Amino acid sequence: MVAGMSMVHSNEARLIKPSMSMMGFMQNLRGATIRDRRLSIDNEHSFLKYLPQIAANVADFGDESAPKRVKALAAWIITEAAQQLGVKLASPQEAYVAIAKGDIDRAMSFPAINIRGNTLDTARAVFQAANDNNVGALIFEIARSEMGYTRQDPREYAAMIQAAAMLQGFQGPLFLQGDHIQLKAAAVNKGGADAEKEINAHRDIIRALIQYGFGSIDLDMSPFEERTDDSLTFDQQQADNARLTAEKIRDVRQLEQELGIPWTVLLGGETGEVGKMNTRPEDIDAYARGIIAEMKRLGIPLDQGIRKIAVNDGTSHGGTPLPGGGVAKVDIEFPVLKMATEKGREFGWAGSVQHGASTLPDDAFVLFPQNRAVEVHLATGFQNILLDEGAYGVKGMQAQIERFLVDQFIKEWKEGKTFAQFAYSTRKNAIGPFKLPLWLMPDETRAAVAEKLYRQFSFLFEQLGVVDTKDLIRKYTTIHDFSL
């Protein structure tokens, strides 16, 4: 058993009792009291022992969920307690500005970790590995698409991550990020009611992220690029991407003021949609020029713009499944990352961002800091550990999940693909519907998953060069009080 991980496997702490009433929830609260909208932790040990149950009351378990008012109260309790126990939500903006200026001159790539299932347990494994390796350069993120199929909204995700940090004794700045907060081109291009609905939905997601303490947002307007149209200049190809990115920058800065957020949200952009044509220097130049021009038109100070740039260099989200199982080897064009960082520095950006990396071979990860990627996004590999080492080891669960996939996603079984390829490509969609069974996996199964995750996170921290970054990140992060 990994040292320090024993709390993750306590059956007593994992009991799920979503309250049927506000009164019942308040009567069962342990180790803390609430008076005049202020939380006081009277007994830290008792509070932490009860904390997983508080987190369960935030989670979307479908018909087994707590009432809406209880969900809101449980999320508020977690955020208030986190402030008192030294878990401080923050923005990595200052650190990224320091990287862009050269004040932080170290070969490291921030791991940006997407947790799709068993978020409380998985985050605890992350924090234990971070504690043991003195890691501060670390981001937890969730994509817009993941919010849907994993049934985790920003409030729930923020609460789970903060709860996990408290349970593992992690202190210091904690960074949450909205990943691939993408405006859907198909809906917008239709115009009319479809476009209005999508624009409003996108704005609502950004508002929720900021409201619940996400200090970083990746604005992904790359579907609006027209990079394959050779009749257009590079500036024309990037025009819509740049314009929409600038408009979203304006929206974020206005929401910061409206919601009273105490930090500047770190913003990222993207040119080169993941899984498509690789990013070129001309794309970045045109994208940056377009954003600058649009920000000037909108009256936005240029220092309030993006600070990192996501590019495509040959990867795809989730990897490419092979007929008999496993994932195909990907040939990454690492020089694209280095080029993008060098180009980005001309515009005050910290550097390039790599998407779709967690299923790469182990010897690839050290190449990201060597090629000056400022951030690496990791998701599917952790999902695979949860399912292959966890859920599929529970009697009958694999059959249930695969039956669900056939019933609900049979149209995605493409001609010429094996069942193994179909199941691998679609199984992420089962994480939300199977959320409660995954949460209630047997203790020994959860222990095995946690231990494997811990080892993987520790390995990645070393390879990405973020070991012993705790003090460095604290130096370049202003700590603020934050409340819902």
Side-chain angles (χ1 to χ4, degrees):
M1 184 64 63
V2 174
M5 290 298 293
S6 58
M7 283 184 65
V8 175
H9 314 129
S10 167
N11 186 56
E12 181 182 3
R14 293 292 297 178
L15 291 174
I16 293 195
K17 298 177 181 177
S19 300
M20 297 309 293
S21 68
M22 181 71 78
M23 181 67 71
F25 179 77
M26 293 292 292
Q27 289 176 343
N28 285 310
L29 185 61
R30 300 287 183 269
T33 54
I34 300 174
R35 294 188 183 91
D36 300 324
R37 274 199 60 82
R38 293 181 63 86
L39 179 79
S40 298
I41 297 178
D42 308 313
N43 186 313
E44 184 175 331
H45 176 77
S46 295
F47 177 78
L48 292 176
K49 188 175 181 180
Y50 187 67
L51 182 54
Q53 191 167 310
I54 299 175
N57 278 275
V58 186
D60 179 0
F61 291 124
D63 293 341
E64 301 296 322
S65 302
K68 289 183 179 180
R69 290 181 62 205
V70 174
K71 280 177 177 282
L73 178 59
W76 176 83
I77 289 171
I78 289 172
T79 301
E80 292 297 311
Q83 297 294 302
Q84 296 182 34
L85 298 183
V87 178
K88 296 286 191 176
L89 292 175
S91 169
Q93 167 82 357
E94 293 169 289
Y96 276 58
V97 170
I99 293 170
K101 291 180 176 180
D103 295 336
I104 296 178
D105 185 16
R106 170 176 172 151
M108 67 175 182
S109 302
F110 278 68
I113 297 172
N114 300 61
I115 304 179
R116 294 173 177 171
N118 275 32
T119 301
L120 184 66
D121 276 358
T122 303
R124 293 185 71 174
V126 177
F127 284 122
Q128 191 58 52
N131 286 340
D132 292 346
N133 291 280
N134 197 32
V135 174
L138 169 66
I139 295 171
F140 290 85
E141 65 179 5
I142 187 166
R144 180 182 181 183
S145 59
E146 289 171 328
M147 294 175 199
Y149 64 75
T150 69
R151 299 183 183 176
Q152 297 183 98
D153 61 17
R155 180 179 67 185
E156 176 180 333
Y157 195 76
M160 293 297 172
I161 302 301
Q162 291 176 90
M166 286 186 280
L167 288 165
Q168 297 310 121
F170 178 90
Q171 293 189 330
L174 171 58
F175 304 135
L176 303 179
Q177 178 164 281
D179 176 31
H180 275 305
I181 305 304
Q182 188 177 89
L183 193 64
K184 297 177 182 178
V188 172
N189 291 336
K190 281 184 180 179
D194 288 327
E196 183 178 0
K197 180 179 178 181
E198 168 58 17
I199 291 169
N200 288 337
H202 190 265
R203 186 178 293 116
D204 287 345
I205 290 172
I206 291 177
R207 172 182 286 273
L209 290 167
I210 296 173
Q211 178 181 353
Y212 290 109
F214 284 67
S216 180
I217 298 176
D218 284 344
L219 301 169
D220 181 8
M221 307 298 137
S222 62
F224 292 88
E225 296 175 332
E226 298 182 80
R227 294 195 302 146
T228 57
D229 189 343
D230 293 334
S231 69
L232 300 177
T233 66
F234 287 108
D235 286 349
Q236 290 170 331
Q237 290 175 3
Q238 292 292 332
D240 287 340
N241 185 7
R243 174 180 58 80
L244 289 167
T245 299
E247 290 174 359
K248 292 301 175 180
I249 292 170
R250 175 196 58 195
D251 289 350
V252 169
R253 300 310 178 208
Q254 289 177 347
L255 283 167
E256 286 174 353
Q257 296 298 314
E258 178 186 331
L259 296 172
I261 302 303
W263 51 67
T264 299
V265 175
L266 171 68
L267 296 176
E270 182 164 343
T271 173
E273 191 173 2
V274 175
K276 296 188 178 180
M277 192 170 104
N278 282 0
T279 303
R280 304 161 295 188
E282 295 87 351
D283 298 321
I284 295 174
D285 280 334
Y287 179 61
R289 284 195 300 269
I291 290 177
I292 291 170
E294 291 293 334
M295 288 180 67
K296 288 180 178 178
R297 179 181 67 83
L298 294 169
I300 306 169
L302 295 184
D303 64 357
Q304 294 294 297
I306 65 172
R307 291 292 181 171
K308 54 180 176 171
I309 181 70
V311 297
N312 190 47
D313 54 12
T315 61
S316 62
H317 289 302
T320 302
L322 297 171
V327 182
K329 183 179 179 181
V330 177
D331 292 322
I332 293 183
E333 295 291 336
F334 283 99
V336 171
L337 294 169
K338 187 174 183 181
M339 174 276 295
T341 292
E342 292 172 349
K343 275 284 177 188
R345 293 292 173 87
E346 298 174 14
F347 305 104
W349 304 345
S352 58
V353 176
Q354 171 71 54
H355 287 280
S358 62
T359 57
L360 295 174
D362 285 349
D363 59 2
F365 292 100
V366 72
L367 298 175
F368 291 116
Q370 289 179 8
N371 285 277
R372 304 181 68 189
V374 72
E375 187 176 302
V376 177
H377 291 211
L378 307 157
T380 305
F382 314 133
Q383 169 193 288
N384 291 347
I385 291 173
L386 171 64
L387 295 178
D388 293 335
E389 306 293 328
Y392 289 1
V394 178
K395 185 177 180 180
M397 194 178 295
Q398 180 172 359
Q400 292 176 41
I401 288 175
E402 291 179 347
R403 185 160 52 247
F404 167 82
L405 297 176
V406 170
D407 289 344
Q408 300 295 321
F409 298 95
I410 191 67
K411 291 182 179 179
E412 295 187 25
W413 192 344
K414 298 178 182 178
E415 186 177 354
K417 298 295 183 181
T418 66
F419 178 76
Q421 289 173 298
F422 159 74
Y424 180 88
S425 298
T426 58
R427 65 184 186 172
K428 66 183 182 181
N429 297 292
I431 292 175
F434 284 81
K435 194 177 197 176
L436 186 56
L438 288 169
W439 183 290
L440 294 175
M441 288 189 302
D443 286 352
E444 60 273 17
T445 304
R446 290 179 29 252
V449 170
E451 188 163 356
K452 187 158 187 176
L453 285 169
Y454 171 90
R455 291 198 301 268
Q456 184 65 11
F457 292 131
S458 296
F459 168 78
L460 290 170
F461 292 157
E462 180 180 3
Q463 296 297 297
L464 296 176
V466 296
V467 172
D468 291 327
T469 55
K470 190 81 170 182
D471 291 341
L472 178 66
I473 297 304
R474 281 177 173 164
K475 178 180 178 181
Y476 289 99
T477 305
T478 303
I479 299 297
H480 302 271
D481 291 329
F482 179 82
S483 183
L484 296 183

